[in-house]
Amino acid sequence: MNDFAHLLDRLAYEPRRNAKLRLLQDFFARTPDPDRGFALAAMTGALSFREAKPNLIRGLVEARVDPVLFRMSYHYVGDLAETTALIWPSPPPPPPGPGHNNPPPHVPSLAEVVEALGTIGKSDLPARLAAWLDVLDETGRWALIKLITGELRVGVSARLAKTAVASLGGVEADAVEEVWHGLKAPYIPLFAWVEGRAERPESLNPAPFRPPMLSHPVDEETDFAKLDPEAFAAEWKWDGIRVQLVGGRDRAGAQVARIYSRTGEDISGAFPDLAEAVRFSGALDGELLILREGRVQSFNVLQQRLNRKAVTAKLLQDFPAHVRAYDLLALDDEDLRPLPFAERRARLEAFVQSLDQARIDLSPLVPFRGWDELTAARADPAAAGAGPDAEAIEGVMLKRRTSAYVPGRPKGPWWKWKREPYRVDAVMMYAQRGHGKRSSFYSDYTFGVWRESPEGGEELVPVGKAYHGFTDEELAKLDRYVRNHTVKRFGPVREVEYGPARGLVLEIAFEGLQRSTRHKSGVAMRFPRVSRIRWDKPAAEADRIETLQKILERGEREVMPGRGMA
Amino acid sequence: MARTPADLLTLTREGLYCPPGDFHVDPVRPVPRALITHGHADHARAGHGRVLATGETLRIMAVRYGEAFCRTRQEACLGETIRVGEVDVRFAPAGHVLGSAQIVIEAGGTRIVVSGDYKRAPDPTCRPFEVVPCDVFITEATFGLPVFRHPDARDEVRRLLDSVRLFPERTHIVGAYSLGKAQRVMALLREEGFDAPIHLHGALEKLTDLYKREGIPLGETPKVGAADRPKLAGAVVLCPPSAIQDLWSRKFPDPVTAFASGWMRVRARARQKGVELPLVISDHSDWDDLCRTIVETGAGEVWVTHGQEDALVHWCASRGIAARPLHMLGYGDEEAETAQEETAQEQTAQDQTVPGNAA
């Protein structure tokens, strides 16, 4: 456990990708099986065991430390695992045994911890955990809690960990990716293969995940001048979730269907309605959307399905899942990824038509002659062919006609060009300390807009919370502003000065609005962020709630005709 | 006449004020008469009328602000009682930095100790903290949360030396506050047998020279010239904390950035500063020492000046000790100190570019 803990500790302090890679390589090279395999599983999110909930950890600490002091410390440190690791009191030394020295306490290995967690009963977990915390040092305690709460977050992606494994024997990371889904912890055949001691592990998965190709954001100022519009095809960028639909046949010849998220997570279980529609052998790349009567619903609607834990018949009926396909990666054992986009597109169109499957349709191309025409289409997708689906479009994608499908984010072949966000000017009302890297900064801001108060005057009503969009330098200034303008403190939250004559105006950009019963204002913003700090603007000139209500009504009218104001 | 603590000491805009003695302690704005606990810039400011402090603190202030930092100054000898107005005042060592003292104020049978910043851990560069029994103990709470437990500073310096041995081709840049921390790190390095030159950023030079004049051996400490930086592979370089992220530090060969501070106990703090080698070395008391000190003074009442006051007040209350936070503004840890240091530094640089201003 200690080796793994120290690896995580060093990774946490190392910002450079290449240095992280070196640390991982070094760790995998010198750590024996099965510990390194469990470490790999931990970093790729592939471990499954009885996770301890944060509340369990809190309970263990609060049984040993004054709960008030613990909470204050947690608010300050901003991380449960670290607070617990630092505050955990050392156990009293055991009474000396008669006639001989007590052996030092046994520090468990990572494999022991993982194996114990896999078999332990719920009622035995707290005592076992406390015993481990007693024998580990601070770093070990921190790593253990990160591990068992399923929140390693040391800045290592699954991809980076696999890249490090691949490099042990000069194998490509994508080659590891392709055998990955047939393997499980502690990955002994995988290490044996990359180290040249065994054959490539047979992929047992007849419907494997293929690492997706990603795009770069377009910089309107500089990129268009360099790009030839004729070399590109354009598609709508749908506001859903990117998925891969993969079908195949197992050894017995039965149909296998998998739905993977873009990170390779198998999410088939959450979408049985869609998985049922996969009756082919091949891999489709597309966007998962909710369609009702042939109309794409907004992300708000999709989110209502995503947020449910239990997949009920009613949920399936009210939120039918569809895939709008935009690429074909494999068909009947043929890997299409090396083909140019234009050829893959032709195969995709023919394939989707042949499927004749209501849950899978084709994402259309957006015709355009020059960048001006595409600009117009992006600004008004409804008029450019998207019709009533326009509200579920978050921009356009540009794909080079000659480009092969390359995993990762190669620069040049694919571009994304998002729509302009909505913007309002709001007034900062509360600020809260951030978490992790920002735990000493007031970095989360609750902001409000004006409305008429019940007494007839003007008041600010909170409409959202934003914690990004600013640079580190701006964060330092905002933090200072909060500290110098605090009027009340509530634990980690500070109320700042606000009113018609005082207060800081923040320009907030957001992607959309939905009605909310949880918020006093009745609206909730999607992806709000601070787009500008208006040090110059008087608070009295910030926007009013009516501005948001208009955006909300417009959105509802466009997405759901026949409801609301038509 | 019997006096209550509130008669002896009140809180004003300038800071703590003693009406019967007509003086302030560590005032944040200019006042006619100031008693100063120690030389950090948030406690010792220029522009007061009369200043009473230890000899070392007075000399630190003179180095920082020039000889004219106040109208008249009076040296307090540790342990000696001085009559100021209607109260007796005595300075007792605080163990924080060179010259740091607690100020004991006594009248009418009531004794208040203003501890200033203090620590209980050993420090080769200053006198150890003395426990002064009192009725009211005024304490800081910079590290007033139970997550702060400072390890032995010698072990932290050994970790630095291990890293120097492991990466002899890289420069180790150690961020350290310019008054106290930097000199303590140097002295600890010497105690561990490190006898190579310790290279200093210009901002650390004057105070380090002062420490040497006060009789603290720190060995050879050359100033880093602009042209030297690429040549300092394998060397240990000390600089103010802000310089570790500065362009200044990038000229060194593949530097390892270290930071000596109690804050380094919290990962997020270290990451914020881009620190690769966090060294938990603090000149403040950690949680256990804050609690222990309160108990040892026997004080029935505790006032908490600055830092994480809420937690310490809560702890006192849970032990039946009356405690209140003063929520004093203007005092920080030494980070504020560093910012002021640099402003002064830039000022000096500007002065030097003006011809005829060389005095």
Side-chain angles (χ1 to χ4, degrees):
Chain A
M1 188 69 210
N2 274 334
D3 267 358
F4 179 58
H6 288 117
L7 170 71
L8 294 184
D9 186 51
R10 293 191 65 182
L11 287 169
Y13 285 117
E14 182 53 73
R16 293 170 294 188
R17 182 186 176 276
N18 285 338
K20 282 185 206 265
L21 193 57
R22 270 218 313 279
L23 289 170
L24 288 166
Q25 285 163 344
D26 177 55
F27 174 82
F28 288 132
R30 68 185 159 73
T31 306
D33 293 321
D35 264 28
R36 60 176 173 175
F38 286 116
L40 175 63
M43 284 181 286
T44 51
L47 282 182
S48 68
F49 46 68
R50 181 181 295 285
E51 280 188 4
K53 295 270 184 296
N55 265 337
L56 167 65
I57 314 274
R58 270 190 210 109
L60 287 177
V61 186
E62 290 185 356
R64 285 163 179 76
V65 180
D66 179 338
V68 175
L69 291 176
F70 172 63
R71 275 198 291 276
M72 287 176 173
S73 299
Y74 174 54
H75 286 318
Y76 180 84
V77 175
D79 182 293
L80 180 67
E82 186 164 7
T83 312
T84 305
L86 294 177
I87 211 168
W88 191 263
S90 11
H100 58 84
N101 291 329
N102 283 313
H106 170 70
V107 178
S109 71
L110 177 60
E112 278 173 71
V113 168
V114 171
E115 280 159 11
L117 287 172
T119 54
I120 199 165
K122 192 176 181 184
S123 56
D124 296 333
L125 181 59
R128 175 65 67 93
L129 190 50
W132 283 334
L133 291 173
D134 279 342
V135 296
L136 290 166
D137 62 10
E138 267 165 35
T139 309
R141 290 197 288 263
W142 169 76
L144 176 65
I145 298 167
K146 289 277 171 195
L147 179 71
I148 61 166
T149 51
E151 286 195 37
L152 282 187
R153 282 199 297 193
V154 286
V156 172
S157 60
R159 177 78 181 177
L160 191 66
K162 291 172 196 165
T163 306
V165 172
S167 70
L168 289 178
V171 176
E172 287 296 317
D174 285 328
V176 171
E177 204 80 74
E178 291 194 6
V179 297
W180 184 257
H181 276 282
L183 304 172
K184 53 184 195 294
Y187 304 105
I188 291 170
L190 174 68
F191 284 104
W193 167 54
V194 295
E195 288 174 343
R197 292 181 284 112
E199 288 299 299
R200 182 174 192 266
E202 196 62 39
S203 176
L204 300 174
N205 186 351
F209 170 68
R210 292 165 177 83
M213 178 158 174
L214 305 171
S215 61
H216 279 267
V218 126
D219 183 336
E220 299 161 37
E221 311 274 318
T222 58
D223 290 330
F224 284 130
K226 291 180 279 183
L227 300 178
D228 172 13
E230 292 199 356
F232 286 89
E235 296 166 5
W236 298 124
K237 181 165 176 20
W238 297 101
D239 196 5
I241 55 173
R242 175 106 180 248
V243 293
Q244 219 172 83
L245 289 191
V246 191
R249 302 229 160 237
D250 65 14
R251 284 187 188 155
Q255 176 73 45
V256 174
R258 294 267 185 279
I259 305 169
Y260 294 106
S261 74
R262 56 174 263 186
T263 52
E265 194 190 342
D266 185 348
I267 54 171
S268 317
F271 297 97
D273 45 347
L274 191 55
E276 205 261 333
V278 178
R279 294 176 192 161
F280 53 84
S281 279
L284 275 175
D285 187 4
E287 200 81 1
L288 192 151
L289 300 161
I290 301 296
L291 259 69
R292 287 176 182 157
E293 290 159 24
R295 302 276 308 279
V296 181
Q297 304 298 300
S298 70
F299 192 81
N300 291 341
V301 178
L302 173 56
Q303 209 156 28
Q304 292 171 47
R305 171 149 180 183
L306 297 177
N307 290 343
R308 302 293 167 81
K309 276 206 175 125
V311 182
T312 60
K314 179 152 176 27
L315 189 71
L316 296 180
Q317 192 192 336
D318 291 349
F319 301 92
H322 288 68
V323 158
R324 196 147 274 193
Y326 37 68
D327 220 319
L328 185 62
L329 311 184
L331 189 58
D332 299 330
D333 296 332
E334 186 190 355
D335 186 354
L336 305 181
R337 289 174 295 175
L339 300 180
F341 173 81
E343 261 179 71
R344 290 200 314 278
R345 175 78 200 182
R347 299 279 293 267
L348 172 75
E349 286 175 7
F351 175 66
V352 170
Q353 196 169 10
S354 75
L355 278 181
D356 191 22
Q357 177 38 270
R359 291 196 182 259
I360 301 170
D361 64 9
L362 189 67
S363 182
L365 293 180
V366 181
F368 71 103
R369 274 167 301 200
W371 297 132
D372 289 348
E373 240 174 81
L374 190 65
T375 306
R378 166 180 169 267
D380 188 359
D389 291 342
E391 231 4 74
I393 286 171
E394 56 166 4
V396 291
M397 294 294 302
L398 287 170
K399 296 182 176 175
R400 196 178 284 278
R401 293 177 191 276
T402 55
S403 59
Y405 193 96
V406 186
R409 205 187 293 274
K411 182 127 190 175
W414 284 16
W415 302 91
K416 60 182 166 195
W417 191 22
K418 286 208 182 188
R419 292 180 82 172
E420 288 293 324
Y422 298 102
R423 286 174 214 276
V424 288
D425 285 332
V427 183
M428 187 196 286
M429 300 176 73
Y430 304 93
Q432 183 170 3
R433 284 207 198 111
H435 282 252
K437 199 179 115 180
R438 287 160 154 197
S439 64
S440 71
F441 284 98
Y442 286 91
S443 62
D444 298 10
Y445 312 107
T446 301
F447 47 83
V449 294
W450 294 106
R451 73 169 180 193
E452 196 174 322
S453 73
E455 294 86 47
E458 289 286 289
E459 66 172 12
L460 283 166
V461 58
V463 289
K465 199 168 168 184
Y467 47 88
H468 56 104
F470 32 81
T471 63
D472 286 354
E473 210 171 299
E474 285 171 328
L475 173 59
K477 282 189 192 156
L478 287 166
D479 178 68
R480 210 170 310 137
Y481 176 86
V482 170
R483 288 171 196 275
N484 291 336
H485 294 84
T486 300
V487 292
K488 272 189 219 148
R489 300 162 179 224
F490 314 90
V493 177
R494 291 190 177 199
E495 181 174 348
V496 296
E497 279 188 337
Y498 55 80
R502 300 164 301 168
L504 179 61
V505 177
L506 302 173
E507 184 186 274
I508 305 292
F510 58 98
E511 297 301 315
L513 284 179
Q514 63 186 98
R515 291 194 188 275
S516 161
T517 46
R518 281 192 322 178
H519 294 73
K520 206 167 143 193
S521 60
V523 296
M525 284 181 175
R526 185 150 168 251
F527 292 144
R529 66 260 182 196
V530 176
S531 57
R532 265 198 302 170
I533 307 165
R534 298 294 307 266
W535 300 105
D536 57 309
K537 190 161 186 165
E541 290 174 25
D543 277 304
R544 305 184 50 84
I545 190 76
E546 288 80 8
T547 311
L548 293 179
Q549 278 158 355
K550 265 185 217 143
I551 296 173
L552 191 63
E553 283 158 12
R554 201 168 68 219
E556 285 170 348
R557 192 168 61 238
E558 284 168 9
V559 183
M560 300 176 212
R563 276 215 256 160
M565 357 195 331
Chain B
M1 188 181 88
R3 292 193 193 262
T4 68
D7 296 333
L8 273 191
L9 216 48
T10 62
L11 193 58
T12 68
R13 219 167 63 106
E14 288 75 22
L16 287 168
Y17 176 65
C18 172
D22 191 22
F23 62 80
H24 285 84
V25 179
D26 292 352
V28 295
R29 294 189 175 83
V31 297
R33 177 146 206 188
L35 273 59
I36 307 285
T37 59
H38 67 283
H40 277 139
D42 48 344
H43 294 258
R45 294 170 197 253
H48 304 306
R50 287 186 291 167
V51 169
L52 174 61
T54 63
E56 294 93 335
T57 298
L58 292 171
R59 291 189 285 280
I60 288 166
M61 292 174 78
V63 162
R64 301 194 123 169
Y65 305 122
E67 289 295 334
F69 69 87
C70 66
R71 209 157 24 81
T72 56
R73 51 177 119 153
Q74 182 184 353
E75 185 174 328
C77 293
L78 292 175
E80 200 173 274
T81 302
I82 303 165
R83 188 79 182 164
V84 182
E86 297 164 25
V87 301
D88 286 331
V89 166
R90 182 164 69 84
F91 283 61
H96 177 55
V97 297
L98 178 69
S100 65
Q102 313 170 70
I103 298 175
V104 186
I105 302 167
E106 199 162 355
T110 295
R111 184 191 288 166
I112 299 185
V113 171
V114 185
S115 61
D117 293 336
Y118 64 97
K119 71 170 174 288
R120 308 296 301 270
D123 179 344
T125 67
C126 65
R127 285 166 192 273
F129 180 90
E130 177 193 320
V131 176
V132 182
C134 54
D135 303 301
V136 178
F137 185 61
I138 304 187
T139 181
E140 56 138 331
T142 305
F143 292 111
L145 284 171
V147 285
F148 291 110
R149 290 206 172 86
H150 306 325
D152 189 331
R154 287 169 298 194
D155 288 337
E156 297 297 288
V157 165
R158 280 176 209 136
R159 288 205 302 121
L160 170 62
L161 289 174
D162 285 345
S163 180
V164 172
R165 273 186 287 274
L166 197 61
F167 300 108
E169 74 289 359
R170 304 174 71 183
T171 308
H172 282 68
I173 303 183
V174 185
Y177 306 127
S178 58
L179 169 59
K181 186 69 59 63
Q183 295 78 19
R184 184 177 174 206
V185 169
M186 290 181 232
L188 287 167
L189 281 166
R190 298 310 184 203
E191 280 188 356
E192 292 303 315
F194 182 77
D195 52 10
I198 299 171
H199 302 265
L200 299 188
H201 183 283
L204 304 183
E205 208 183 12
K206 282 192 294 184
L207 287 164
T208 303
D209 288 347
L210 174 77
Y211 266 63
K212 289 181 183 173
R213 286 201 299 277
E214 298 285 332
I216 294 156
L218 298 174
E220 202 187 332
T221 59
K223 181 182 165 179
V224 178
D228 306 338
R229 282 179 281 174
K231 295 178 225 153
L232 287 175
V236 173
V237 176
L238 260 61
C239 65
S242 58
I244 52 182
Q245 280 174 308
D246 221 21
L247 280 173
W248 177 83
S249 68
R250 295 195 202 139
K251 293 280 162 57
F252 293 97
D254 193 13
V256 176
T257 53
F259 185 14
S261 164
W263 298 118
M264 292 299 101
R265 178 112 169 133
V266 176
R267 273 184 177 73
R269 282 279 190 148
R271 278 207 299 274
Q272 259 163 28
K273 296 198 176 292
V275 172
E276 293 159 272
L277 184 62
L279 303 171
V280 186
I281 303 178
S282 174
D283 284 334
H284 295 268
S285 289
D286 65 7
W287 172 258
D288 293 336
D289 281 346
L290 288 170
C291 297
R292 169 164 77 104
T293 306
I294 288 170
V295 171
E296 287 176 5
T297 61
E301 200 175 328
V302 171
W303 299 353
V304 188
T305 54
H306 60 281
Q308 306 293 329
E309 50 268 50
D310 298 350
L312 199 57
V313 167
H314 171 83
W315 180 86
C316 288
S318 71
R319 275 175 182 57
I321 302 170
R324 64 183 178 105
L326 296 180
H327 291 304
M328 289 176 74
L329 299 175
Y331 301 96
D333 65 293
E334 289 81 359
E335 280 175 53
E337 152 103 359
T338 309
Q340 293 183 16
E341 194 71 19
E342 268 133 46
T343 319
Q345 201 70 21
E346 280 163 30
Q347 199 60 46
T348 321
Q350 282 171 10
D351 291 347
Q352 282 163 354
T353 57
V354 180
N357 201 4

